[in-house]
Amino acid sequence: MHCANRRIGRREINANAHDLWQLPNGIGSDHDRWSGCGPCRPREIIALRRNTLGYVSQFLRVVPRVSTLDVVSEPLLTTGTPCTQALETAQELLARLNISERLWSLSPTTFSGGEQQRVNIARGFAYPYPALLLDEPTASLDPKNRAIVLAMITEAKARGAAIIGIFHDAAARDEVCDRQLDVGQFTPGTMV
Amino acid sequence: MTPLLQVENVAKFYGARIGCTDVSFNLYPGEVMGVVGESGSGKSTLLNCLAGHLVPDRGAVRFDTRAEGLRDTITMSEPERRMLGRTDWAFVHQHARDGLRMNVSAGGNVGERLMAVNARHYGKIRASAIDWLGRVEITEDWIDDRPTAFSGGMQQRLQIARNLVTGPRLVFMDEPTGGLDVSVQARLLDLLRGLVREIGLSAIIVTHDLAVVRLLADRLMVMKDGHVIEAGLTDQVLDDPQHAYTQLLVSSVLQV
C-alpha cells in the first residue's frame, strides 16, 4: 500500500497479509486512514472502500431511524449479498457481540458508547474485506466483549486479511499485532 | 468505464456577475456527489446548467445516453434534451410544489411521467403508481387525493416517487431535505440510500446541510462565489478541510 499524506509527509507502508500494525500515540494516526493511494481517482477509492478496504472508526455515523440490523447488513448488501443471507450474517454478528436481540430493530443512535462501538465493529466485520483499518477497536469495551473482538481480529487474520490498527491498549496490541509502528517519528517537525 | 456525466469548464454569468465558473468533474454510475456552499455561491445555478434548465455561457456537459453514448446536452436539440429530462434524468426541486402538479391526484402525478414515455395501459400505470407510493411510504388510500391535501414531507416524498418511477439514471436534487422535520428527513435519507444501492442511481445533491452530505454523498464539492474551492471524497473534505472557507463551514455545524 502506497501512502502519501498531505499533512504528515510521505512514506511507504507494506502491509502483508497476517500483519497487524499498531500505531501508538494519537499523533497523525487518524489521518492515515484514507490517505492511501494519493494519485487515485475518487471513483477508484470509492470502489476500493466498497469491496476491498473495511474500516472500523471510533464513531458510529449512520442514517437516523435505520435499524441496527440494517446498519450492520448494509456493507453486505452493497457488495451484492442476497438480503436474507446478509440479515442472517448480521444477526450472528450482533448475537456474538452481545447486543441483545430486543435492540436489533432499534436505531443504534440511541445506544450507549460501548454498544455503538460493537455495532460499528459488527458492521466492519460483516463483509470479509481483504484489508481492514481499525481505529481503537477495543477502546470502550468491557473485558468480555474485548476478548470477543480480539478473537474476531484473530479470525480475520487467519482468513488472510491484512489489518492496520490503532491500539492504545498494550495487552490487546501484544495479543493480535505482529508488527508495531510508532507514528511519533512522522510527527511534523521531527521528520528527516 | 465511461462516466455517466462529464462536466468540462462550465460557466454561467448573470451580466457581469459570476453565477458559477470553471466547474469540471466526472460522475460515474452509482456515485452520489454533494455540492455545498453558502447561499449565492452558485450551487443551484450549476445544478440548473447541468440539468438543462439554464444554458451555460461556456463549457460542455456530456451525458452517457443509452443509444449514442456521450452526447453534449447543451448543443443537443431541445426535443432530445426534454426526452432525457423525462427518462434518464430526474429533478427534485427544493419546494415540492415546483415539481408536482398540485391539481392532479397523487396517482396522476406519478402516472404522468410514465405516460410521457408512452405507457398507455391504465391498470399498469396505476399499479406502478401504487408500487412507488408504497416505496416512499405513502399508503395506497392516498392515491386519489391531490397533493394539496398532503403535508410538506409527503409532498416531497411524492415528488421523489414521481421522479423515480421511470427509472432514471441520474437525479438532480436541489435541497431535497430542506424544510422537512428531522424524522421525515431521516426517512428520506434512508430511502435515497436504498435506491442508490438497489438500482445504482447516480445523484448530484445541492444542500446546505453537511450532515446530509456526510450520510448520502460519496464525493463533495464546496463552492464559494461561483468557484469550486475544494473537492474530494466526502470524509476527506469534511474531516480534513484545507480551504479556509471549508474549515469555517465545517466548524459552524451545530452539534446535537
Side-chain angles (χ1 to χ4, degrees):
Chain A
M1 194 181 297
H2 190 86
C3 280
N5 189 291
R6 289 180 285 185
R7 277 196 186 154
I8 307 161
R10 285 167 179 278
R11 65 212 163 276
E12 284 189 18
I13 295 177
N14 302 307
N16 305 317
H18 309 294
D19 273 2
L20 258 178
W21 283 59
Q22 173 263 335
L23 311 173
N25 300 333
I27 314 164
S29 46
D30 260 2
H31 286 285
D32 285 340
R33 294 177 313 184
W34 300 123
S35 60
C37 315
C40 276
R41 281 166 296 180
R43 117 190 127 88
E44 289 168 343
I45 302 180
I46 293 166
L48 189 78
R49 287 180 184 183
R50 211 167 272 170
N51 303 311
T52 313
L53 189 61
Y55 170 46
V56 179
S57 75
Q58 284 174 285
F59 311 102
L60 184 68
R61 280 205 177 97
V62 291
V63 177
R65 291 192 21 168
V66 175
S67 78
T68 301
L69 215 46
D70 290 339
V71 165
V72 174
S73 57
E74 199 195 4
L76 285 166
L77 295 174
T78 45
T79 45
T81 313
C83 193
T84 46
Q85 199 185 324
L87 285 176
E88 260 171 44
T89 312
Q91 285 168 349
E92 280 165 24
L93 276 164
L94 287 170
R96 186 171 180 197
L97 285 159
N98 295 314
I99 304 283
S100 104
E101 193 170 342
R102 67 194 170 80
L103 297 176
W104 293 358
S105 59
L106 302 176
S107 162
T109 43
T110 55
F111 289 6
S112 76
E115 283 166 344
Q116 289 198 0
Q117 179 155 26
R118 277 176 279 149
V119 171
N120 220 355
I121 289 167
R123 187 181 151 90
F125 281 82
Y127 178 77
Y129 295 103
L132 265 172
L133 303 179
L134 308 175
D135 192 353
E136 297 199 48
T138 56
S140 49
L141 298 183
D142 57 76
K144 190 175 143 208
N145 287 313
R146 183 176 155 276
I148 294 170
V149 172
L150 291 180
M152 285 169 68
I153 296 175
T154 313
E155 281 164 30
K157 277 170 69 185
R159 68 168 163 79
I163 303 175
I164 297 181
I166 300 164
F167 293 91
H168 288 311
D169 176 353
R173 188 193 302 163
D174 294 337
E175 196 176 326
V176 290
C177 298
D178 302 315
R179 283 199 277 159
Q180 299 194 5
L181 174 75
D182 181 355
V183 291
Q185 55 183 294
F186 301 126
T187 311
T190 60
M191 256 173 28
V192 187
Chain B
M1 194 180 196
T2 329
L4 189 66
L5 190 74
Q6 210 172 40
V7 180
E8 231 177 73
N9 288 322
V10 163
K12 170 78 187 169
F13 299 94
Y14 298 109
R17 292 180 202 281
I18 297 174
C20 63
T21 184
D22 296 328
V23 182
S24 303
F25 64 88
N26 285 338
L27 188 77
Y28 289 85
E31 272 182 13
V32 179
M33 166 108 109
V35 184
V36 297
E38 58 195 358
S39 299
S41 58
K43 312 186 294 282
S44 295
T45 299
L46 173 66
L47 198 70
N48 283 313
C49 284
L50 301 183
H53 297 174
L54 285 173
V55 182
D57 295 313
R58 265 207 313 264
V61 179
R62 292 186 203 94
F63 180 75
D64 184 23
T65 56
R66 291 183 206 225
E68 297 166 70
L70 281 177
R71 291 278 314 275
D72 191 334
T73 62
I74 298 167
T75 53
M76 71 169 48
S77 70
E78 185 65 22
E80 284 178 298
R81 193 160 48 235
R82 292 185 76 90
M83 190 63 192
L84 271 185
R86 47 174 199 262
T87 54
D88 276 350
W89 290 357
F91 197 102
V92 177
H93 294 264
Q94 176 174 10
H95 303 291
R97 297 173 156 267
D98 298 339
L100 290 174
R101 288 194 196 280
M102 298 305 281
N103 296 319
V104 174
S105 70
N109 264 290
V110 179
E112 187 192 6
R113 255 183 84 106
L114 284 170
M115 289 188 278
V117 291
N118 292 326
R120 287 294 178 267
H121 188 288
Y122 180 80
K124 284 180 191 161
I125 292 174
R126 195 172 168 91
S128 15
I130 291 172
D131 173 37
W132 271 94
L133 289 178
R135 290 204 211 187
V136 296
E137 300 178 41
I138 297 175
T139 47
E140 197 180 327
D141 52 335
W142 287 89
I143 188 168
D144 293 317
D145 289 306
R146 292 178 187 182
T148 40
F150 286 18
S151 71
M154 276 178 83
Q155 288 179 358
Q156 192 60 289
R157 280 179 278 143
L158 176 61
Q159 193 195 184
I160 288 175
R162 169 186 160 95
N163 270 291
L164 295 179
V165 68
T166 49
R169 291 189 292 155
L170 177 60
V171 185
F172 302 98
M173 291 193 236
D174 193 356
E175 299 272 2
T177 58
L180 299 181
D181 78 64
V182 283
S183 149
V184 174
Q185 180 176 322
R187 189 186 295 182
L188 255 182
L189 289 177
D190 185 34
L191 172 75
L192 291 173
R193 276 250 295 227
L195 290 169
V196 168
R197 188 177 66 219
E198 282 155 29
I199 59 180
L201 199 68
S202 298
I204 299 177
I205 300 178
V206 164
T207 180
H208 288 292
D209 194 333
L210 293 184
V212 166
V213 155
R214 161 115 42 202
L215 293 174
L216 220 50
D218 304 304
R219 297 165 60 188
L220 184 63
M221 228 159 62
V222 185
M223 292 189 70
K224 189 177 187 331
D225 302 330
H227 296 267
V228 175
I229 52 167
E230 193 162 350
L233 294 169
T234 305
D235 45 1
Q236 276 180 352
V237 174
L238 293 182
D239 292 344
D240 188 17
Q242 300 293 303
H243 191 280
Y245 176 70
T246 318
Q247 291 169 357
L248 176 74
L249 206 63
V250 171
S251 62
S252 308
V253 176
L254 298 174
Q255 304 283 333
V256 180

